[in-house]
Amino acid sequence: MEAIKHALKALRKRHLIEEGAHSPAFIALSRPIVSQGSEWKEKAENLELELQQCYKAQSRLSEQLVVEVAESRTSKALMQEKETLISELQNELSQARDECSRLAELLEEKTKALELLISEHQEVKGQLEAATLRADNAEAENKMLIDRWMLEKMKDAERLNEANALYEDMVDRLKGSSMQLLAHQQVDGVVRRSEEGAEYYVESTIPSTCKQRIPAHDGGCASILFEHGSSKLVSGGQDKAVKMWDTNTGSSTRTLYGCLGTVLDVCITHDNKSVIASSSANNLYVWDVSSGRVRHTLTGHVDKVCAVDVSKVSNRHVVSAAYDRTIKVWDLQKGYCVNTLLFHSNCNAICFSMDGQTICSGHVDGNLRLWDIQTGKLLSEIAAHSFAVTSLSLSRNGSVLLSSGRDNLHNLFDMRTLEICATLRGNGARVASNWSRSCMSPDDGYVAAGSVDGSVQIWSVANAKIVSTLKEHTSPVLCCAWSDLGKPLATSDKNGNICIWS
């Protein structure tokens, strides 16, 4: 608008100047026309030229006026937009101030709550320190009591050892007075030890005939063994059940339930009162045979438990091996682990020595290892096989250890020198799995082992040659077990069938 007003003022001033410029023309008109004709003509041309310039200036001012009007309208619209934006920003500012005040109130509340929590935390921290102090005192007192208890147990053990020494002395005297106990000689010429069930012992015979074929378990049977001094069989399978069988009739006498995973190995105490099973559920289960109920569920392994054995001198101690690279010793009377052995290689098979003081373990790296059960120290390590050890079996007198491996070899070790006595090889026979179990006959004269083709081979220990090949299974044979009575021989396969051979 100011530009337009300025333009109008300029036009008025121009008009006044032009009127002043034309005043001489009016004066000249009063002169005679003839004398002034040339002047008028010149002035007319000048005026015409000035008029053209005025028209041009007027057109430029008009164009400038149009541009100024358009810019004025644009500025007015922009001003309105700015005013609208200012109003919106003022509204947002008022809302932000309200939110800020609300957050300030909330912050004040949170600050008060935090101060309260800090005070409570300080109080709880004080209580925790007091409780920790009491716990440390209790732990120290407990350790002192345990030391005193262990001292008393050591004294009891010393008294028990003295009593055992006296008992063994009396037994030796009785043996010396009775020549009948010296008449029964072993195959290798060593006098047989007096042991429980020896009165039922007979010489082993080479089995040749399948007396019973039992469809025992759905999905496979990985472990079987006979009761001590009996022909009754115990089996565990993939159907999570442990079953007991009468091998004479092939009928099931009892089924033990409660296992939550596949049964990978079973063992039985020497009084035949308890059955222990290891499972893929990372636990061990202990059943009372008379009632069929679970006495203990031994927890502590964090991977599948693939092997278990019970001490040959006590029904109390059990050893287990799992794929968490640990070997655990359990006390069945207390129902918990009393020692844990750690090693870098998984253990597939495990067994106690005859004196119950040493543990023999077979590992995935193919080595055989001996452990002291009391200290947990590694006593010896032997390269037994080029591949994984799958089975360990101790002879009846404890002088020979049978080991089987994925290299399809079966080695016999002298437990006194840990040297290989014999190596048994099959004619094309291959071990079926990492947990295939072989066995020795009760007179330590024969070895039985299954193959992936379903056959069972029998070796003579005396000459390390195959004396018989049994063919009845249609799937890989996983486990072999020989009765303490000398017969029968039992074998199980991957389809869950058990064959009884005589």
Side-chain angles (χ1 to χ4, degrees), residues 79 85 114 119-120 139 169 182 192 210 241 268 273 290 349 365 406 418 423 452 459 481 490:
M79 183 176 65
L85 182 60
L114 180 61
S119 62
E120 292 179 353
E139 185 177 359
D169 188 22
L182 299 176
R192 177 171 300 280
C210 180
I268 189 169
K273 292 182 179 180
S290 60
D365 59 6
R406 290 308 297 268
L418 296 180
T423 298
V452 72
W459 286 268

Side-chain angles (χ1 to χ4, degrees), residues 8-42:
L8 291 175
K9 288 179 181 181
L11 286 174
R12 289 192 188 99
K13 186 177 180 181
R14 185 78 177 181
H15 180 67
L16 293 174
I17 293 171
E18 288 176 354
E19 284 182 354
H22 293 311
S23 61
F26 291 107
I27 295 171
L29 288 176
S30 62
R31 296 177 182 178
I33 296 175
V34 177
S35 62
Q36 298 179 354
S38 61
E39 294 178 3
W40 285 356
K41 186 175 181 180
E42 185 180 355

Side-chain angles (χ1 to χ4, degrees), residues 29-322:
L29 288 176
S30 62
R31 296 177 182 178
I33 296 175
V34 177
S35 62
Q36 298 179 354
S38 61
E39 294 178 3
W40 285 356
K41 186 175 181 180
E42 185 180 355
K43 290 180 179 181
E45 289 176 356
N46 293 332
L47 290 174
E48 186 176 357
L49 181 60
E50 291 179 0
L51 183 60
Q52 290 177 359
Q53 292 177 352
C54 287
Y55 285 152
K56 289 181 180 178
Q58 186 178 2
S59 64
R60 286 196 301 271
L61 290 174
S62 298
E63 291 176 358
Q64 186 177 359
L65 180 61
V66 171
V67 172
E68 294 293 341
V69 170
E71 289 179 355
S72 175
R73 289 177 180 174
T74 304
S75 299
K76 187 176 180 180
L78 183 60
M79 183 176 65
Q80 290 178 353
E81 291 179 359
K82 296 292 184 181
E83 290 176 353
T84 305
L85 182 60
I86 288 171
S87 63
E88 291 177 355
L89 291 175
Q90 287 177 348
N91 293 332
E92 291 181 0
L93 180 60
S94 61
Q95 293 177 359
R97 286 175 178 171
D98 295 338
E99 181 70 16
C100 182
S101 61
R102 187 180 66 81
L103 291 175
E105 295 176 357
L106 182 60
L107 178 61
E108 186 177 358
E109 293 178 359
K110 295 295 184 182
T111 304
K112 293 180 179 178
L114 180 61
E115 292 175 353
L116 179 61
L117 287 175
I118 290 174
S119 62
E120 292 179 353
H121 173 71
Q122 295 294 336
E123 183 179 356
V124 172
K125 186 178 180 181
Q127 295 177 0
L128 177 61
E129 291 176 353
T132 304
L133 181 60
R134 291 196 299 271
D136 293 339
N137 294 334
E139 185 177 359
E141 184 178 358
N142 185 37
K143 185 177 180 180
M144 181 184 67
L145 291 175
I146 290 175
D147 293 339
R148 290 172 58 187
W149 178 75
M150 290 299 296
L151 181 61
E152 293 297 327
K153 293 295 290 183
M154 290 175 62
K155 292 179 180 179
D156 292 341
E158 290 177 357
R159 289 193 291 269
L160 183 60
N161 291 334
E162 293 176 359
N164 288 336
L166 293 174
Y167 174 76
E168 290 177 359
D169 188 22
M170 293 175 62
V171 169
D172 291 338
R173 291 178 183 177
L174 290 174
K175 286 182 179 180
S177 63
S178 177
M179 297 302 296
Q180 283 185 333
L181 296 176
L182 299 176
H184 197 183
Q185 299 291 327
Q186 212 175 3
V187 176
D188 56 2
V190 179
V191 178
R192 177 171 300 280
R193 296 183 181 182
S194 176
E195 54 188 346
E196 186 178 359
E199 62 271 19
Y200 304 107
Y201 171 78
V202 294
E203 296 291 338
S204 301
T205 57
I206 301 174
S208 58
T209 305
C210 180
K211 183 173 65 173
Q212 299 285 347
R213 181 182 173 89
I214 306 170
H217 297 274
D218 296 331
C221 178
S223 180
I224 55 176
L225 81 160
F226 283 92
E227 289 186 349
H228 297 284
S230 170
S231 61
K232 292 182 179 180
L233 187 70
V234 181
S235 67
Q238 195 170 351
D239 55 4
K240 305 178 183 180
V242 175
K243 298 182 180 181
M244 307 183 74
W245 308 88
D246 186 341
T247 57
N248 294 320
T249 62
S251 59
S252 175
T253 59
R254 183 180 290 276
T255 300
L256 307 176
Y257 297 103
C259 182
L260 300 179
T262 300
V263 178
L264 299 178
D265 197 11
V266 294
C267 66
I268 189 169
T269 56
H270 290 274
D271 56 5
N272 294 330
K273 292 182 179 180
S274 298
V275 172
I276 304 101
S278 63
S279 74
S280 61
N282 308 345
N283 297 330
L284 291 100
Y285 301 89
V286 183
W287 286 274
D288 183 87
V289 174
S290 60
S291 64
R293 296 180 179 179
V294 176
R295 283 180 53 205
H296 299 293
T297 299
L298 306 178
T299 60
H301 288 292
V302 294
D303 205 338
K304 59 185 176 184
V305 187
C306 54
V308 62
D309 192 27
V310 65
S311 174
K312 296 173 176 56
V313 296
S314 169
N315 296 324
R316 178 174 180 175
H317 293 105
V318 171
V319 64
S320 64

Side-chain angles (χ1 to χ4, degrees), residues 378-442:
L378 180 63
L379 300 176
S380 182
E381 183 173 357
I382 311 159
H385 296 272
S386 56
F387 294 103
V389 179
T390 65
S391 172
L392 293 177
S393 179
L394 196 63
S395 65
R396 192 177 180 91
N397 67 347
S399 61
V400 178
L401 178 68
L402 168 66
S403 71
S404 302
R406 290 308 297 268
D407 56 1
N408 305 316
L409 298 180
H410 308 277
N411 293 326
L412 295 171
F413 290 90
D414 188 329
M415 287 296 291
R416 291 164 293 186
T417 62
L418 296 180
E419 295 180 353
I420 295 180
C421 304
T423 298
L424 311 178
R425 294 178 172 85
N427 295 329
R430 293 185 294 116
V431 174
S433 75
N434 274 1
W435 305 285
S436 294
R437 312 296 186 188
S438 58
C439 70
M440 297 182 69
S441 63

